[in-house]
Amino acid sequence: MTGASGPGEVGGHEDGPHARGGLPVSSLSALRGPAVRRLLALRQDQKLTTRHVRLMA
């Protein structure tokens, strides 16, 4: 089938199929900004670890 998404794949709709963690793609986009700001704050305080980055990813 052309253009079909397989199980677990994100389709072409913003609020359609769920991506990682079961969240809609639009929710993941909304959470990206706050996550990056938190990582930057941790880096500024010299408390950023690999674990923080992996958790946010």
Side-chain angles (χ1 to χ4, degrees):
M1 292 165 95
T2 304
S5 295
E9 292 181 1
V10 177
H13 302 289
E14 280 289 314
D15 292 316
H18 298 300
R20 295 169 253 151
L23 293 173
V25 173
S26 58
S27 293
L28 291 174
S29 295
L31 293 171
R32 187 174 295 125
V36 170
R37 283 191 291 278
R38 180 65 181 139
L39 291 172
L40 289 171
L42 287 166
R43 184 174 78 172
Q44 184 177 355
D45 295 340
Q46 296 181 350
K47 295 181 181 179
L48 182 64
T49 66
T50 303
R51 186 171 183 214
H52 288 116
V53 176
R54 287 181 180 160
L55 179 65
M56 295 296 180

